[in-house]
Amino acid sequence: MSEPILPFGDKRDAPFYGKDIVSVRQFTRGDLDYVFAVSKEMQGMVARVGTFDLLKGKVLANVFYEPSTRTSSSFTAAMERLGGSVIPINEVRYSSVSKGESLPDTVRTLERYADVIVLRHPEVGASALAAQYASKPIINAGDGPGEHPTQALLDLFTIAEELGEIDGLTITMVGDLKYGRTVHSLARLLSLFSVRINLVSPKILEMPPEIVAELEKAGTPHAAFTDLEKVIPDTDVLYVTRVQKERFQNAEEYEEVKDAYVITPATMQAAKSRMIVMHPLPRVNEIAIEVDDDPRAAYFRQMEYGMYVRMALLAMVLGKA
Ligand code: NCD
C-alpha cells in the first residue's frame, strides 16, 4: 500500500461505509488485503498511543444473546481504543428480549441510539435478519452454528502475521467441524487462497456438506480424516476447536466425542518447527496446558490480533478507513 491509511478522514465513499458484515462470503481477496492493511495500522497506533479519537462520538451497541468473553470484550476494547463508546447488552435476560421482544424490534430500537450493532445470537441467519431491518451496520459476532466472520478475519490475519504468507499452506482443522461456526467461516475465506485443507473430526462432527461443496467449487484441495496423527507432519496451521456442547441434542453423544482430540507435547513433537497452533477459544480439554509454553502456540497472540482487526472493521463500516 503506497499511501498511509492513517490519519483518517471521513471517507463516506470508502468501500465498507455503512455495510453489514454478515458472512465472509462478502469478502474478496482485495478486501482482505485492505482489512489487513488497516488492522496493521491499528496495531501500530495502539503500540504508539494506546487510544486515539478516530471514532470519537460514535456509539456501538454490543448485543450478545449467547455467552462470550473474547468477542464481546475485544469489540468493547476496539471501540474504546478508537475513542468511541459502547452500550453493552450481555444479559438479554435483563433486557426486553425476556419480555418477548422480537429481534427486528430490538435492533430497530438500538439503532436509534447507536451507530453500529454487533450481534451474537443462537440462530443461524439472525444477523442477516437483523440487517434486513436495521439501516445501521450489523456485524455478525456469531449466528448459532452458522458463521463467525470477524473471527475468521482475525484468524487469517493471525496466519498472515505469524507465517508471512497464506498461499501454499496446509491448514488442518480439528474437532467439531459440524457445529463450530469459526471453521465454517474460516474454510470459506481460505478458499480464496491456494491452500490445502485437512478436515479432522469424528464422523458425527464432519464439516457440513454445503461448505465442503463450496471448497469443491472453489477448487480448494481438501480431505476428511478421523485420525489426526496422519496429517500432523504436513500441517502448517493446526486450527483446534472446542466440541460445541451447547449444540448437542443428546448428552450421551457429546460425552462420546468430547475428548476425541487432545493436542499434547507429543503432537507438537511430530509437527513442523514452523507450524502454529490456533484456537478461537475457549478451550476445554482440546489443548494440554503443557503446550502453552511452546513458541508455536499462537492462540494467546491470536486474541490480540483480533482487537486490531475489530478496530479496523469498526472504522471501515463507520466510514473512517
Ligand atoms: C468461538 C465462538 O463463540 O464461536 N469463540 C469465540 O468467539 N472466540 C468458539 C467457541 O465458542 O468454541
Side-chain angles (χ1 to χ4, degrees):
M1 192 140 303
S2 52
E3 261 183 85
I5 291 166
L6 291 172
F8 294 88
D10 217 314
K11 293 186 183 160
R12 279 164 199 283
D13 57 347
F16 280 85
Y17 177 64
K19 290 258 168 71
D20 304 304
I21 299 176
V22 166
S23 164
V24 290
R25 280 184 276 208
Q26 322 166 209
F27 291 87
T28 63
R29 265 190 81 150
D31 294 334
L32 296 177
D33 290 342
Y34 187 68
V35 172
F36 297 160
V38 180
S39 303
K40 267 314 257 189
E41 296 283 346
M42 295 299 181
Q43 182 178 27
M45 286 299 279
V46 170
R48 282 194 294 278
V49 297
T51 298
F52 51 108
D53 277 346
L54 185 67
L55 296 183
K56 190 176 165 62
K58 300 287 186 192
V59 176
L60 158 70
N62 213 23
V63 189
F64 283 73
Y65 288 71
E66 278 191 341
S68 170
T69 300
R70 273 149 291 273
T71 308
S72 166
S73 57
S74 66
F75 266 113
T76 299
M79 195 62 184
E80 292 187 351
R81 283 188 182 275
L82 292 170
S85 53
V86 181
I87 305 173
I89 303 189
N90 305 321
E91 283 282 2
V92 287
R93 252 185 308 158
Y94 299 128
S95 74
S96 285
V97 170
S98 68
K99 301 181 191 168
E101 185 167 66
S102 69
L103 181 63
D105 282 3
T106 301
V107 299
R108 281 180 293 189
T109 304
L110 291 167
E111 72 170 346
R112 299 279 149 182
Y113 313 140
D115 302 292
V116 53
I117 298 173
V118 168
L119 176 69
R120 170 169 290 186
H121 194 282
E123 279 162 41
V124 175
S127 286
L129 176 73
Q132 269 174 33
Y133 285 89
S135 53
K136 305 270 175 72
I138 298 285
I139 300 181
N140 181 1
D143 59 329
E147 276 217 36
H148 196 346
T150 67
Q151 178 72 43
L153 292 166
L154 80 86
D155 290 341
L156 219 53
F157 184 60
T158 301
I159 298 171
E161 287 296 298
E162 294 272 325
L163 297 177
E165 271 275 22
I166 296 169
D167 284 318
L169 297 178
T170 295
I171 291 98
T172 298
M173 301 180 182
V174 56
D176 186 346
L177 308 185
K178 179 179 181 188
Y179 297 120
R181 54 194 171 201
T182 70
V183 281
H184 300 167
S185 292
L186 183 59
R188 283 182 168 134
L189 266 192
L190 283 170
S191 73
L192 297 175
F193 294 83
S194 21
V195 294
R196 172 174 296 278
I197 302 181
N198 296 319
L199 302 167
V200 182
S201 73
K203 275 275 170 235
I204 61 163
L205 296 178
E206 281 183 348
M207 187 62 94
E210 67 269 23
I211 294 173
V212 175
E214 286 177 43
L215 294 178
E216 202 64 47
K217 195 166 162 229
T220 305
H222 60 91
F225 301 87
T226 49
D227 187 359
L228 179 63
E229 268 85 74
K230 266 197 202 132
V231 298
I232 285 290
D234 296 324
T235 295
D236 299 298
V237 176
L238 181 61
Y239 193 97
V240 187
T241 64
R242 173 179 71 89
V243 177
Q244 308 277 297
K245 184 178 183 185
E246 66 276 29
R247 314 272 180 229
F248 282 72
Q249 307 285 341
N250 178 336
E252 265 168 46
E253 245 180 32
Y254 170 72
E255 288 300 321
E256 267 168 39
V257 291
K258 68 173 189 192
D259 293 324
Y261 304 98
V262 181
I263 310 307
T264 65
T267 323
M268 301 303 285
Q269 214 158 20
K272 291 186 184 177
S273 57
R274 268 200 93 216
M275 182 193 73
I276 55 169
V277 184
M278 296 174 64
H279 192 310
L281 303 177
R283 104 176 113 182
V284 187
N285 281 322
E286 315 78 55
I287 304 178
I289 53 169
E290 293 76 37
V291 175
D292 296 356
D293 294 330
D294 190 305
R296 293 169 290 179
Y299 33 94
F300 296 117
R301 299 191 290 274
Q302 187 181 349
M303 290 188 273
E304 185 176 329
Y305 292 125
M307 184 178 73
Y308 307 131
V309 171
R310 288 176 173 136
M311 290 172 79
L313 296 172
L314 289 170
M316 286 164 60
V317 300
L318 291 170
K320 297 288 187 179

